Amino acid sequence: MTTASKNTTKKNNFDIDIRLCRNKDINLLVSEMSQYGKSRFHIKRLQEQKDGLSDYLIAWHDGKPVGHILISWAGYNVELPSELQKVPELNSFEVAEKAQGKAVGYRMIKKAEALVKKRGFDRVGLLVNPNNKRAIALYEKVGYKDSETGLHLFKWDTIDDHGKELKGSEKLLAYVKQLA
């Protein structure tokens, strides 16, 4: 597991600190950035981090989480051509509405890329819905390119805090960036 690091940056007076998730962060993540499965979403990602499968980065502003991104060291969660199978994937990426437009997403991506490069990888990837034009614009702005491998079916399932099973799927594009 990568050790926690402090990455405080400022844009338009919006200070953020980007660091690895910790046990004590879960309650705030649940209350401020609820997801499918509520606490289980964040607990699962923290456990993956503890198991060495990922790094779960949280962006903080004024003591509250305003974003998260997961680096999956095992690569994409979908079947891809062999040349992309061992590329670390950025996923579980979200910026709170109040923090959007303040370069939080950009800074989280840059922090994640630095960790990927530090681990010795020369590429990083992500999956994106082809209809999410805002995300695609950000990814392309920071150097990600469509892998041109078509749409890939991503399936997910979780259990919410009330024991209800949630399932879903969507067709996504695989984007890749060559790290300098």
Side-chain angles (χ1 to χ4, degrees):
M1 175 170 52
T2 305
T3 58
S5 63
K6 190 157 183 154
N7 180 30
T8 304
T9 55
K10 192 176 204 177
K11 181 177 181 186
N12 301 331
N13 295 324
F14 200 82
D15 294 322
I16 63 168
D17 177 30
I18 301 171
R19 59 174 170 72
L20 293 175
C21 186
R22 303 174 297 194
N23 286 335
K24 68 181 187 174
D25 298 337
I26 296 298
N27 288 337
L28 271 175
L29 282 166
V30 170
S31 67
E32 299 292 322
M33 301 197 74
S34 184
Q35 288 287 335
Y36 294 115
K38 298 196 177 189
S39 64
R40 293 174 196 237
F41 176 91
H42 300 293
I43 290 168
K44 179 181 177 188
R45 278 137 194 87
L46 178 59
Q47 188 58 53
E48 289 172 4
Q49 178 177 283
K50 288 177 180 180
D51 293 342
L53 302 173
S54 66
D55 280 349
Y56 193 34
L57 296 172
I58 311 299
W60 297 87
H61 172 72
D62 287 341
K64 293 189 176 182
V66 294
H68 54 77
I69 191 168
L70 184 90
I71 307 167
S72 177
W73 297 114
Y76 293 94
N77 279 329
V78 298
E79 282 192 40
L80 289 171
S82 61
E83 70 269 11
L84 295 176
Q85 288 178 358
K86 299 291 183 186
V87 175
E89 179 201 4
L90 305 182
N91 66 47
S92 300
F93 184 32
E94 181 185 4
V95 176
E97 191 173 326
K98 66 183 175 186
Q100 292 178 5
K102 298 180 179 359
V104 173
Y106 171 84
R107 292 181 271 174
M108 285 194 308
I109 288 171
K110 289 301 187 182
K111 177 67 175 180
E113 290 174 353
L115 290 174
V116 170
K117 190 172 179 180
K118 186 176 180 180
R119 283 244 187 146
F121 293 95
D122 63 354
R123 294 183 299 166
V124 64
L126 51 83
L127 297 170
V128 62
N129 186 306
N131 298 318
N132 191 342
K133 302 302 182 198
R134 185 173 182 183
I136 289 172
L138 171 62
Y139 301 148
E140 289 179 348
K141 179 180 178 179
V142 297
Y144 287 79
K145 296 183 185 329
D146 186 341
S147 67
E148 299 183 2
T149 57
L151 291 172
H152 304 279
L153 184 62
F154 173 71
K155 295 179 182 180
W156 57 267
D157 60 81
T158 190
I159 298 172
D160 73 12
D161 287 346
H162 304 289
K164 182 180 176 188
E165 188 175 16
L166 305 170
K167 292 182 179 224
S169 66
E170 61 182 321
K171 291 184 178 180
L172 305 172
L173 296 169
Y175 270 61
V176 177
K177 180 178 181 178
Q178 187 72 37
L179 299 174

